[in-house]
Amino acid sequence: MKTFKLDNEPKIDSGFKTPDNYFENFSANLMQKLPIEPVSQETKVISIFRERKNIFMAAAAVLVLAIMIPIAYRANTTNKEVDTVTLENYLTQETNLNQYELIGEIEPENSNIISPPKKLERETIEDVLATNPNIENLVIEN
């Protein structure tokens, strides 16, 4: 490997140069470029309470929102009961249960869905069977 000597290698110029006598005349040039303004005796006073008033208003608004959101949420969600149409649509479309499985899950003694059987007169049954054109379907289902 070739030895490297810092003093013998050519140096690269940085490309930046300062003008001649730049630092000797710097303060005099700066003072000439600054605008001269008369010093005023009045100083402007900014009140701290004005900013505090805005902070207090913001804190009050956040507090009101924090109190109102739960109240509004409870007011909109008071009804927790599911209506029968929604329940029926869910059971028919979203589940894989058939009517026999649903009937098997309902307990007659604890359910309001199943009412006690009504006694039908013989004449009423004969009228329904005589007027219904699909008599075979009624017989097969029951």
Side-chain angles (χ1 to χ4, degrees):
M1 182 172 190
K2 184 178 171 187
T3 58
F4 178 76
K5 292 187 181 177
L6 189 61
D7 295 331
N8 294 341
E9 296 295 322
K11 304 215 179 192
I12 300 173
D13 291 334
S14 69
F16 296 105
K17 294 183 181 178
T18 57
D20 295 335
N21 299 326
Y22 179 75
F23 291 107
E24 287 90 22
N25 300 332
F26 180 74
S27 62
N29 288 337
L30 182 65
M31 292 306 286
Q32 288 176 356
K33 291 179 182 178
L34 289 177
I36 300 172
E37 292 183 15
V39 178
S40 63
Q41 298 297 330
E42 265 184 57
T43 57
K44 188 174 181 180
V45 178
I46 299 173
S47 175
I48 307 173
F49 298 110
R50 181 177 173 200
E51 291 180 14
R52 283 188 181 175
K53 184 178 180 183
N54 291 340
I55 293 171
F56 288 136
M57 294 292 276
V62 169
L63 182 66
V64 167
L65 283 175
I67 292 173
M68 290 303 293
I69 288 174
I71 292 172
Y73 179 74
R74 283 190 201 130
N76 289 336
T77 58
T78 54
N79 189 6
K80 300 216 181 222
E81 294 180 16
V82 179
D83 60 324
T84 56
V85 174
T86 306
L87 181 61
E88 184 178 339
N89 288 338
Y90 174 77
L91 289 175
T92 57
Q93 295 173 1
E94 301 294 330
T95 63
N96 295 329
L97 296 176
N98 60 21
Q99 62 185 358
Y100 300 110
E101 290 173 342
L102 283 174
I103 292 171
E105 292 295 323
I106 297 174
E107 297 176 2
E109 59 272 355
N110 296 334
S111 177
N112 294 335
I113 297 172
I114 299 177
S115 58
K118 297 179 181 176
K119 294 184 180 179
L120 297 175
E121 295 181 8
R122 185 176 178 98
E123 296 166 356
T124 308
I125 295 173
E126 288 176 358
D127 288 341
V128 169
L129 292 175
T131 58
N132 194 349
N134 296 326
I135 194 165
E136 288 112 16
N137 292 339
L138 291 175
V139 172
I140 293 172
E141 284 184 10
N142 295 328

